[in-house]
Amino acid sequence: MLLGLSEELLKKRKGYATAKEIEQQPRLWRELYDILLKQKSKIVEFLKPILEIKDLKIILTGAGTSAFVGNSSEGYLRRKLKMDVKAVDTTDIVAAPQNFFFKDKPTLLISHGRSGDSPESLATIELAEKIIKDVYFLNITCNRDGKMAKGTIDKKNCLNIFMPEDSNDDGFAMTSSFTCMLLTDLMLPHIEEIENEKGLFEKLANEAERIIKDDAKIIEEISENNYDRLIYLGSGSLKGCASEAALKSLELSHGDVNTNSNTPLGFRHGPKSAINDTTLIGFFVSNDIYTQKYDLDLINEIVNEPGKRKLIAFLPSNISISGLNYVFRLKEDFEAVDEAFLTPLYIIYAQMLGFYKSLNLGITPDNPNPEGRVNRVVKGVTLYNYN
């Protein structure tokens, strides 16, 4: 059984890989901790002198879900490293590298990639080498055999950190690859004392196992609602979580569910117009007391507005709130944990919702695009010479 469904049914409906990859995440997080612990010396030896470079710029990059890894870790890394850290999609960099790469600006490019074969990711590395005089590459990837890893493995200014082998998802939608790469990002400021983080990894893995065990059935019931619009909202680091959550349902529903994401404050500035009676709105609520006030304000505002839209909230603790159709609360105490670490947990709910909705719509989750309009690894990109 995976996500409450038999292996036989999942294989028949072509959803086995996606279900397995959602459910395996707690195991992979424990494996990831062991990988980081084992590679601690190598990572510290590479990163420490780079992070001491004056005026260093750090760019977190990737395409699609891999870009949302950087969106989800950017704020945390900026705060912990107290450095110039910016998340920029490879798709933006390749189209206009002059906006992001500067010859005399020392730069650490942290690239994320499930396959390591995305054309924009490879082109971004080439452009950085071509434009920036003092550049370093940290590749966080799930594929040892990808072009990203093979093309840089022997270079002194590059380090590859490989995720657990099973994180190289076979399914179309990235799931375990996203959370493993994100947790790796979040551990970079702590790599010298990674031994102290084992308890956090165990806490996250235990809570994720509980979510899958206790809440999957309710998420499946939510997916049976008649909604064709889905909006996810999150503040701070959870803005990246909202972006990734929206993409998961868009991908897995083959676009039958029109999805969007925003911040609670940004939502009022026009995007709120999208709400109608067939809309499901998901709120990722922060555990930061200040940020949380803005999350709860918008929830209370929408609760008191007329309409048949459905509301679902994901909360870090037993917050008192009423008027919602569905509420999910984390059972472990994450009050003292930075909000960035809520994303690996909250995103599991979104992954499951997208998966179940895909099955309800008669779509095959492992390959929701059988006609090949959208591919697991992007194809058809023409790369032009940059002078």
Side-chain angles (χ1 to χ4, degrees):
M1 299 286 284
L2 291 170
L3 302 184
L5 303 173
S6 71
E7 182 176 329
E8 180 183 7
L9 174 63
L10 288 168
K11 288 182 175 179
K12 182 180 179 181
R13 300 290 303 277
K14 297 182 180 178
Y16 177 77
T18 305
K20 176 178 74 70
E21 287 152 6
I22 293 172
E23 190 159 306
Q24 73 184 0
Q25 289 174 103
R27 171 176 65 84
L28 294 193
W29 299 349
R30 294 183 175 106
E31 288 183 21
L32 175 63
Y33 171 78
D34 291 336
I35 288 170
L36 295 175
L37 179 63
K38 186 176 180 180
Q39 296 188 16
K40 167 186 169 178
S41 297
K42 184 185 294 186
I43 298 170
V44 171
E45 182 182 351
F46 176 77
L47 275 183
K48 192 169 184 180
I50 296 172
L51 295 179
E52 291 173 353
I53 295 173
K54 185 179 179 181
D55 296 328
L56 179 73
K57 181 177 185 178
I58 300 175
I59 296 178
L60 308 166
T61 194
T65 289
S66 295
F68 296 147
V69 174
N71 295 154
S72 301
S73 63
E74 172 190 28
Y76 183 78
L77 292 178
R78 189 183 298 120
R79 282 185 283 113
K80 292 299 177 180
L81 297 174
K82 295 180 173 59
M83 299 181 75
D84 179 11
V85 181
K86 181 67 176 175
V88 186
D89 296 15
T90 57
T91 48
D92 291 336
I93 293 173
V94 170
Q98 68 276 10
N99 291 341
F100 309 103
F101 292 163
F102 305 101
K103 179 182 177 180
D104 296 319
K105 183 71 171 177
T107 302
L108 170 62
L109 186 73
I110 302 180
S111 298
H112 307 93
R114 172 173 64 175
S115 69
D117 289 329
S118 294
E120 298 95 342
S121 295
L122 301 175
T124 294
I125 292 173
E126 291 179 6
L127 286 164
E129 286 184 307
K130 188 173 187 177
I131 298 171
I132 307 168
K133 182 172 64 176
D134 191 7
V135 64
Y136 306 88
F137 301 99
L138 178 61
N139 299 326
I140 299 174
T141 178
C142 306
N143 186 12
R144 290 178 176 272
D145 297 319
K147 294 176 183 176
M148 178 192 291
K150 287 188 171 182
T152 56
I153 200 164
D154 294 324
K155 295 183 179 180
K156 290 183 179 179
N157 64 336
C158 175
L159 177 69
N160 292 297
I161 302 179
F162 297 112
M163 301 297 93
E165 186 175 348
D166 285 347
S167 69
N168 189 9
D169 304 315
D170 290 324
F172 177 85
M174 291 173 62
T175 52
S176 53
S177 51
F178 172 77
T179 56
C180 284
M181 289 191 288
L182 173 57
L183 285 170
T184 301
D185 269 16
L186 298 178
M187 283 297 106
L188 293 178
H190 311 288
I191 194 66
E192 290 191 65
E193 300 86 26
I194 190 68
E195 296 87 352
N196 299 334
E197 304 303 326
K198 185 173 183 179
L200 175 58
F201 273 79
E202 195 62 31
K203 188 173 187 175
L204 289 167
N206 288 339
E207 182 67 11
E209 287 171 340
R210 184 206 63 78
I211 288 170
I212 293 167
K213 177 177 176 288
D214 295 349
D215 296 339
K217 187 64 180 176
I218 306 170
I219 292 292
E220 183 178 13
E221 292 171 3
I222 294 173
S223 75
E224 294 167 358
N225 278 278
N226 182 30
Y227 62 89
D228 57 15
R229 296 187 185 186
L230 174 56
I231 300 167
Y232 282 111
L233 302 169
S235 299
S237 296
L238 296 176
K239 179 182 179 181
C241 182
S243 299
E244 170 60 7
L247 181 60
K248 283 291 87 68
S249 278
L250 184 69
E251 291 176 323
L252 290 168
S253 72
H254 195 19
D256 285 3
V257 177
N258 188 357
T259 67
N260 209 332
S261 66
N262 213 305
T263 62
L265 284 174
F267 191 56
R268 292 187 181 93
H269 291 262
K272 194 179 175 191
S273 306
I275 300 176
N276 64 10
D277 287 347
T278 59
T279 302
L280 176 65
I281 306 175
F283 300 92
F284 295 123
V285 178
S286 176
N287 62 351
D288 181 273
I289 300 302
Y290 176 79
T291 303
Q292 190 182 97
K293 296 179 189 296
Y294 294 103
D295 298 339
L296 298 180
D297 276 355
L298 184 67
I299 291 175
N300 288 320
E301 178 180 309
I302 296 177
V303 160
N304 290 304
E305 293 174 345
K308 297 179 181 179
R309 72 287 172 280
K310 295 286 175 56
L311 309 178
I312 175 173
F314 307 95
L315 307 173
S317 60
N318 192 23
I319 297 170
S320 178
I321 192 165
S322 60
L324 294 156
N325 301 96
Y326 307 97
V327 175
F328 295 93
R329 293 182 174 89
L330 300 180
K331 296 298 188 288
E332 291 266 4
D333 181 11
F334 284 93
E335 292 303 312
V337 176
D338 193 278
E339 68 171 10
F341 290 93
L342 299 183
T343 291
L345 299 174
Y346 284 167
I347 201 63
I348 291 177
Y349 287 107
Q351 292 169 352
M352 292 193 298
L353 183 58
F355 169 77
Y356 288 126
K357 190 64 172 180
S358 182
L359 291 178
N360 291 338
L361 292 170
I363 295 167
T364 53
D366 292 347
N367 183 19
N369 298 276
E371 74 282 0
R373 265 187 321 180
V374 184
N375 301 288
R376 181 178 176 275
V377 180
V378 167
K379 299 177 183 178
V381 179
T382 300
L383 297 172
Y384 299 97
N385 185 48
Y386 181 78
N387 295 314

